Structure formats: C-alpha cells, structure tokens
Amino acid sequence: MQYRTLGRTGVQTSSLALGAMNFGAIGRTTQDDVDRIVGAALDAGINLIDTADMYSRGQSEEMVGKAVAARRDDVILATKAALPMSEERNHQGASRRWLAKALDDSLRRLGVDHIDLYQIHRWDPRTSDEETLAALTDFQRAGKIRYFGTSTFPAYRLVQAQWAAREHRLGRYVTEQPNYSILQRGAESEVLPLAEEYGLGVLVWSPLASGWLTGAVREGREVTTSRSAFMPQRFDISVPENQAKMAAVEKLAALADESGITMIQMALGFVTAHPAVTSALIGPRTMDHLHSQLAAADTTLSADVLDAIDAIVAPGVDLAAQEKNPTPAPSMTDPALRRRAS
C-alpha cells in the first residue's frame, strides 16, 4: 500500500480508501460482512474509511462504527452530511441548524466522540459559505471534528469557499471528493488543478465508474451487477452515453489484456497516477470484490499505457456527465435568473 499526505494536513492516507456506501441495505450486507471487509481492508494497509449519514439512512455509519470500535485510533474516519435524511425540508442542507443535528446524529451512530473528516456532501445554494464554514469551524474548535471538506462541489464554489474562509477568518475546506475515472475525466479540467493550487486533498469516488471498469460489463453480455439493479438507467445500452461508455470499455479491456493487468488494476492505477489525487475510494460489497480491488494497491501504470488511455478517452472528457449528480447553479433551474428584467 502506498501512502500520501492528505492535502496540507500532514495526515498520511492510504492510496486506496474504503468507501462504505454498500454497507447496509444498499449493498444488502450484514454486520458480519462489514466486519470482515473492514478488518481485511485495515490489515491490508487501508487507513481511511468514508461513509455518509444518508447511506442506507444511517445504517452504514452504524455498521462502520461497530466494525472499527476496537481499532478506532488506527482509522481516519470520514463521513458526510447535507443530502436529505427525510421528507422534512430542513433535514438537509448546510445550514448551522441542520449540520449541528446531523453531526450529533453521526457521532451517535458511529459511536465515537469525534470525526476525523466531516464533509459537505453537495453544495447547498440556499446557504452562504460563511454560515456553513462558521458552523464547521465551531464544531472543529469544540473537538467534534478534526478537519472538514466537500464532495462534488463545482470548481468555482470551491474557490469561493476558500475566499470566504480567508475573508471571515474561518477554517477552510481541506479536501474535495470528486467523481473521477477513466470514463469520467471532467475533473481534470478544473477541480484537480484547483486542488493542487489550494492544497486540497482529493478522495476520488466511483473510480470504477459504477462497475463499468470492473470487467463485469462487456459488449454482448447481460449486465447483472448489484449497481445495475438499482441504477438501470446507467446500463441501458439504448442511451447514447452508455453506448459511448461501452465502446470505450471494449478498447480499455483490450489494453488491459495487452498490459497484463486487470481492468480494475488499470482503472485504479489510472486515477491514483494523477498528482492531485490522494486516495481512490473503493466500495466493495463482498470479500471477493475487496481482494480484486486491493490487487491494485501497488499498480503503477507506464507512460505508454496512460498515453493509450488518453487516446481512448480524451483528457477532461466526461462520457456521462449527468452521472456525477452535481448541484446545479440556481440559474440552471430557474429561468428568471437567466433573464434580465425589462
């Protein structure tokens, strides 16, 4: 396992980190499954586990908390808040009111007295940067969190938040979690260069592109992955974006065969090769998934392989940008904001 510094925090983080979205109802995993996966991941050198309050409505956090209880000091524990936790309109977002409750709920579910990295799951356009950063700074000073970061923020909002922190003398975001894979390279154009400029740690989500880069999705085969069962639209070959992904996957599979590595090794080796990336989040649902992904821990791709990947999917190109699920700017959803008043 390789280790890298998480932004400018000084914290040493494994190049592969464990994502816990599949723990609980989403992945149909039991506590025994989670205990085995977490234990094996930690034994292999992974030292960061990332979850979120909304994963299986808190069940993932509960399972992670139980699984790491005996090894808490060895784990960089990360979770997220801001996405809806119920139909109540104020049980979401990045306001001080909601984050204070969400954090206490996460601490209780995880069974810990502090969280190492607390992340805002999506940009909340209804809440000012000052409001959110002030709340997070107070949580940090109270010892409830050590650091705070973001997930899937537009590049311009990351810059705005850095300036707001400086202007109001508040703590700043120290990490970002972008969607990044061979099939989704849009982060290369703005987010990853920005992360390098501002010294942000980068934890990549979906480096296997929802299973497209595992070798399980191939032309002419029925797709039977767990992800395809609850996200069928991402695997519908009648969709033009999915046709583009399939064409790329067939070329990537041939390249992996020629290079003597698995698709998983190539996919994870690709994202961890970028100098801005700290860790790639893997999300195994079974022990077999974990072992196949751990095999990429020491994978280093040659310049020839990276050049060949560039020829298949051009740098900065998203083959299915809508799958990143970003928060759109208000002007994209409200026509009145795009039209000058007469």
Side-chain angles (χ1 to χ4, degrees):
M1 186 66 66
Q2 303 171 32
Y3 295 87
R4 292 137 181 219
T5 303
L6 186 64
R8 295 173 182 161
T9 66
V11 176
Q12 297 297 294
T13 307
S14 50
S15 59
L16 297 182
L18 184 63
M21 191 178 79
N22 277 322
F23 294 172
I26 291 177
R28 303 186 303 280
T29 49
T30 67
Q31 186 64 54
D32 286 343
D33 295 330
V34 172
D35 290 345
R36 284 192 291 270
I37 291 170
V38 169
L42 296 181
D43 289 344
I46 286 178
N47 69 349
L48 187 149
I49 300 178
D50 177 78
T51 183
D53 58 0
M54 60 85 63
Y55 293 164
S56 297
R57 288 292 186 266
Q59 191 178 16
S60 174
E61 286 185 326
E62 292 173 352
M63 288 180 156
V64 167
K66 291 174 182 176
V68 304
R71 303 174 69 172
R72 174 65 182 94
D73 291 341
D74 301 331
V75 177
I76 302 165
L77 191 56
T79 193
K80 301 182 285 292
L83 291 182
M85 287 295 287
S86 76
E87 296 300 320
E88 163 57 42
R89 66 185 62 202
N90 285 314
H91 287 184
Q92 62 182 295
S95 69
R96 177 186 289 270
R97 180 182 186 274
W98 172 243
L99 290 179
K101 174 170 173 47
L103 175 57
D104 284 344
D105 288 346
S106 288
L107 289 168
R108 173 180 49 78
R109 285 190 292 262
L110 288 162
V112 298
D113 62 3
H114 74 276
I115 290 163
D116 297 302
L117 177 62
Y118 196 55
Q119 301 152 105
I120 303 303
H121 212 152
R122 292 293 188 275
W123 168 51
D124 176 9
R126 301 171 303 176
T127 306
S128 71
D129 292 304
E130 181 184 0
E131 163 89 0
T132 302
L133 290 169
L136 293 170
T137 300
D138 286 347
F139 301 157
Q140 188 178 53
R141 289 170 178 167
K144 291 185 174 184
I145 61 177
R146 297 293 184 257
Y147 306 101
F148 46 92
T150 58
S151 176
T152 321
F153 269 43
Y156 78 99
R157 295 310 314 178
L158 290 169
V159 173
Q160 179 61 31
Q162 294 290 317
W163 278 98
R166 180 180 299 182
E167 179 180 0
H168 299 289
R169 299 180 182 274
L170 299 168
R172 73 183 190 101
Y173 295 124
V174 299
T175 61
E176 159 61 8
Q177 260 197 52
N179 175 284
Y180 181 45
S181 72
I182 296 175
L183 303 183
Q184 301 280 59
R185 300 186 62 173
E188 293 172 341
S189 62
E190 293 183 351
V191 170
L192 296 183
L194 184 153
E196 290 185 280
E197 181 172 350
Y198 284 91
L200 301 176
V202 174
L203 308 173
V204 171
W205 63 268
S206 201
L208 299 179
S210 297
W212 278 84
L213 297 174
T214 63
V217 181
R218 296 294 301 275
E219 196 168 52
R221 295 183 191 172
E222 182 182 2
V223 180
T224 59
T225 64
S226 173
R227 193 62 60 88
S228 68
F230 68 94
M231 292 180 168
Q233 72 281 2
R234 293 196 180 186
F235 300 87
D236 181 352
I237 301 303
S238 68
V239 176
E241 290 86 352
N242 292 339
Q243 294 172 9
K245 288 192 293 184
M246 185 64 79
V249 163
E250 290 302 306
K251 294 176 183 178
L252 291 167
L255 176 62
D257 286 342
E258 293 169 9
S259 305
I261 57 177
T262 66
M263 284 275 282
I264 290 173
Q265 287 175 306
M266 186 167 70
L268 295 176
F270 169 80
V271 296
T272 56
H274 196 290
V277 172
T278 311
S279 304
L281 289 163
I282 60 174
R285 190 173 55 83
T286 67
M287 287 294 290
D288 286 344
H289 291 166
L290 175 66
H291 291 311
S292 66
Q293 293 164 26
L294 286 175
D298 295 317
T299 298
T300 300
L301 302 184
S302 69
D304 287 345
V305 173
L306 292 170
D307 289 343
I309 291 172
D310 286 350
I312 296 170
V313 181
V317 170
D318 285 325
L319 295 186
Q322 75 281 2
E323 293 180 4
K324 303 172 89 163
N325 299 320
T327 302
S331 60
M332 298 300 292
T333 55
D334 184 352
L337 299 178
R338 301 193 298 271
R339 300 166 187 174
R340 187 183 296 274
S342 57

